[in-house]
């Protein structure tokens, strides 16, 4: 039984906040990034409560009464129905990121395809993505709608505003709803370009010196560590990281060929042969 407090205890959400909530829901639907009642969004209010979409509500046709107010434990304070089944994912992000006040979760097809292929968007390819998000990691697979989904993204969300969810979708965080939504737009747009480049037969990451020159234009981040994998380090570091961690880290569209076949194990050789043959057959 959901706990409900007096509606007098919390000021009603501002009309602007609600309008933005509804608008982001409509955009997610119009862009085809959610199907039926997929996806969910939330906002952290200044009083420490949260607005979240109701479970089962289609985002393209969200009604005002389907935006619920909940506390930090997920108890419903106002609104009708149950909160989204992914509320735990949202609350985990707010706990890990005090700087974040909005979260958007959707299933954009191209980003989700990369999440299904377990191909993180980590190569330094598009200057805009290098400067804004760096790289976009993939959180390990976890069952949707369970506490495990929140736990699966803890490591990645601490240092990234956008995370792909293995075999599931994407989640983005921002200082407000507009910012979290625009990050989702950036992720899907970047993923689409990388997919097209891959279909054209070549994804060309920027080199270290090109990325350093790019970062030098960005003010506060100038001189910081390179946030993605440049072309000239991609193959070697990828192979090393893959062996050391077992993570599926790779440069999208680039066969994961070891720096040298000398010392490559049977698995490496089998994979290289498979990838070369697959490319020839395309
Ligand atoms: Zn989902």
């Amino acid at each position: 039984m959901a706990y409900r407090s007096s509606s007098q205890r919390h000021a009603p959400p501002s009309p602007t906040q609600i309008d933005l909530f509804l608008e982001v829901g409509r955009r997610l639907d119009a862009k085809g990034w959610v199907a039926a009642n997929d996806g969910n969004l939330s906002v952290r209010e200044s009083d420490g409560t949260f607005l979240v979409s109701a479970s089962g509500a289609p985002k393209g046709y969200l009604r005002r009464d389907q935006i619920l107010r909940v506390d930090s434990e997920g108890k419903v304070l106002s609104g009708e129905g149950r909160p989204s089944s992914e509320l735990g994912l949202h609350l985990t992000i707010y706990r890990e990121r005090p700087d974040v006040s909005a979260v958007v979760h959707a299933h954009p097809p191209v980003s989700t395809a990369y999440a299904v292929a377990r191909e993180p968007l980590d190569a330094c390819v598009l200057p805009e993505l290098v400067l804004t998000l760096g790289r976009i990691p993939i959180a390990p697979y976890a069952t949707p709608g369970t506490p495990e989904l929140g736990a699966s993204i803890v490591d990645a969300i601490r240092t990234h505003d956008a995370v792909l969810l293995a075999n599931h979708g994407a989640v983005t965080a921002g200082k407000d709803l507009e910012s979290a939504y625009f990050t989702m737009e950036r992720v899907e747009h970047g993923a689409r370009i990388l997919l097209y480049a891959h279909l054209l037969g070549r994804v060309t990451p920027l080199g270290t010196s090109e990325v350093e020159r790019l970062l030098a234009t960005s003010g506060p981040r100038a001189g910081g560590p390179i946030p993605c994998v440049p072309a000239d380090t991609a193959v070697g570091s990828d192979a090393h990281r893959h062996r050391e961690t077992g993570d599926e880290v790779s440069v999208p569209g680039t066969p994961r060929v070891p720096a040298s076949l000398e010392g490559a194990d049977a698995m490496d050789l089998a994979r290289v042969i498979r990838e070369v043959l697959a490319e020839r057959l395309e």
Side-chain angles (χ1 to χ4, degrees):
M1 173 72 82
Y3 161 81
R4 290 170 197 274
S5 72
S6 157
S7 59
Q8 303 300 319
R9 287 179 58 188
H10 302 282
S14 73
T16 310
Q17 184 77 287
I18 293 292
D19 286 345
L20 184 58
F21 213 99
L22 299 177
E23 176 63 21
V24 168
R26 280 193 291 268
R27 288 193 186 201
L28 291 173
D29 180 66
K31 296 241 180 205
W33 297 348
V34 289
N37 58 357
D38 287 353
N40 28 76
L41 47 157
S42 69
V43 168
R44 172 159 35 203
E45 294 262 86
S46 57
D47 63 359
T49 63
F50 304 87
L51 302 177
V52 62
S53 48
S55 176
K59 304 308 157 301
Y61 309 91
L62 205 57
R63 300 190 314 264
R64 287 164 193 270
D65 63 354
Q66 291 175 317
I67 302 173
L68 311 185
R69 187 186 293 279
V70 300
D71 68 11
S72 60
E73 302 299 315
K75 291 175 182 168
V76 177
L77 304 174
S78 66
E80 292 302 319
R82 288 180 295 111
S84 161
S85 59
E86 301 298 12
L87 177 60
L89 171 74
H90 293 242
L91 293 177
T92 298
I93 295 172
Y94 292 122
R95 271 195 294 274
E96 296 295 328
R97 294 284 301 274
D99 60 314
V100 157
S101 288
V103 172
V104 172
H105 165 54
H107 305 160
V110 184
S111 309
T112 305
Y114 275 93
V116 168
R118 307 291 176 99
E119 291 278 4
L121 303 171
D122 61 359
C124 304
V125 179
L126 299 167
E128 278 299 324
L129 279 186
V130 172
L131 288 175
T132 54
L133 298 175
R135 56 184 288 268
I136 303 160
I138 300 181
Y141 178 75
T143 307
T146 69
E148 286 75 43
L149 186 62
S152 75
I153 61 152
V154 166
D155 286 344
I157 203 69
R158 281 180 184 149
T159 48
H160 297 86
D161 288 344
V163 178
L164 302 182
L165 308 173
N167 293 55
H168 180 171
V171 64
T172 58
K175 62 181 171 51
D176 53 36
L177 200 48
E178 190 172 50
S179 153
Y181 168 75
F182 281 148
T183 296
M184 186 67 79
E185 216 172 57
R186 218 181 268 288
V187 170
E188 180 66 359
H189 192 65
R192 185 180 292 268
I193 292 170
L194 288 169
L195 174 65
Y196 290 160
H198 179 74
L199 292 173
L200 288 170
R202 182 177 301 163
V203 175
T204 312
L206 302 172
T208 300
S209 61
E210 290 166 323
V211 176
E212 283 173 343
R213 276 202 296 282
L214 176 65
L215 293 174
T217 66
S218 67
R221 294 182 71 161
I226 290 180
C228 44
V229 184
D232 36 345
T233 61
V235 173
S237 64
D238 173 39
H240 283 301
R241 286 157 64 192
H242 185 65
R243 282 204 193 89
E244 287 171 7
T245 66
D247 289 338
E248 288 293 331
V249 177
S250 63
V251 180
T254 306
R256 297 190 295 265
V257 183
S260 163
L261 289 181
E262 200 177 357
D265 59 30
M267 292 292 284
D268 279 330
L269 290 172
R271 176 170 52 74
V272 170
I273 291 166
R274 266 201 320 274
E275 290 180 347
V276 169
L277 285 176
E279 288 217 327
R280 296 240 165 105
L281 291 172
E282 275 177 3

